[in-house]
Amino acid sequence: MANKTILVIVDLNADTESGVLDRAAWLAGRYEAQLTLFACDYDADIESGYVATVWIPQPGVRDQLLERHRQKLEALAEPLRKRGVSVTTEVAWDHPFDAAIIRKAASSKPLLVLKGTHHHNLLQRTLLTNVDWQLIRGCPTPLLLVKQQPLHDPPRVFAALDPLHEHDKPAELDDQIFRFAADLAARTRGVLHVMHAVPLPVGLDLPPDVTEGAVRRHREAMSSFLGRHEVEPEHVHFVEGFVPQSLQETASEQGADFVVMGAV
């Protein structure tokens, strides 16, 4: 992995970040890492030297605003430091938010970017208009989107694999996904699972030999992969159907705490 820093994204407009910060501190202890709390802001009117409401030049407004944000991050960092976690803070004057995070991750190369998330409506998910989905597309380092739910003891870490590489991703991506998931499971004293969904069309009555042939090819590819990577047989989940739905249902049914997957 890169350096021993977990980059924690703080949304200055969020009411609370306590759940995200708790998860970040927990991971920092298991990776023996430090945290960097990162936030950014930008206002075109302030950048041009004016206050938008009255259009009067206001030198120093940007610095005042950034200093207020730094104080907020320091207030969030102090309880973590009292728990023995090494924490630094950084505020950037940059936009848009997702691009600023991607630039920061590219320059600092953290071992993990961590950000809180919540439910987005169907339109936002479909059009990829929110920061979370833009980060999934473009973040150059591993990204963890944190939901506000407790972890199992021990945690359950799932690696979502595609051994036939039917979506044109590089063959080595599965190895990277598996290594990251295995390392996460080891550091958190968790249980490693792997899952794979055979992409069978939904609503089509295919001939049995076509379906059986597809399933057989996927099982053979999965067996070949597992021949090189050690996983308990009862922790291998092989499902059939519409891939996004099948993986989501499997993760939910098995109580996955972490799902590690690739993005292409």
Side-chain angles (χ1 to χ4, degrees), residues 88-235:
T88 61
T89 61
E90 181 177 342
V91 181
W93 187 254
D94 199 356
H95 75 110
F97 192 25
D98 54 279
I101 296 169
I102 289 171
R103 283 190 283 270
K104 173 60 180 176
S107 64
S108 61
K109 296 180 175 60
L111 65 86
L112 188 65
V113 174
L114 189 149
K115 182 184 179 298
T117 190
H118 52 83
H119 176 76
H120 299 289
N121 66 47
L122 179 60
L123 180 62
Q124 288 175 315
R125 290 202 303 270
T126 302
L127 298 181
L128 303 180
T129 57
N130 56 73
V131 172
D132 296 345
W133 285 98
Q134 294 297 338
L135 289 178
I136 290 172
R137 293 179 60 189
C139 188
T141 58
L143 168 70
L144 174 60
L145 296 175
V146 178
K147 294 184 177 181
Q148 303 297 323
Q149 60 189 41
L151 301 177
H152 290 93
D153 184 15
R156 302 167 186 176
V157 181
F158 278 64
L161 306 175
D162 183 16
L164 283 181
H165 317 295
E166 293 193 341
H167 302 291
D168 297 324
K169 65 183 181 180
E172 64 269 15
L173 183 55
D174 271 338
D175 289 322
Q176 295 173 12
I177 291 170
F178 183 88
R179 286 196 300 270
F180 187 92
D183 183 65
L184 177 60
R187 290 179 182 274
T188 61
R189 296 183 179 179
V191 179
L192 176 64
H193 295 246
V194 298
M195 58 180 175
H196 172 64
V198 181
L200 296 178
V202 177
L204 294 181
D205 188 15
L206 297 175
D209 60 327
V210 173
T211 301
E212 292 170 2
V215 171
R216 183 173 59 254
R217 288 190 300 111
H218 281 261
R219 284 195 179 277
E220 290 172 350
M222 194 70 169
S223 296
S224 177
F225 181 88
L226 293 175
R228 307 189 307 272
H229 303 82
E230 186 175 352
V231 183
E232 296 293 332
E234 63 269 25
H235 295 157

Side-chain angles (χ1 to χ4, degrees), residues 65-84:
L65 182 60
L66 290 178
E67 180 58 30
R68 188 157 66 242
H69 294 333
R70 289 189 189 95
Q71 291 175 7
K72 178 176 180 178
L73 292 190
E74 284 297 315
L76 294 174
E78 194 55 32
L80 301 178
R81 292 173 180 144
K82 290 180 179 179
R83 291 162 57 179

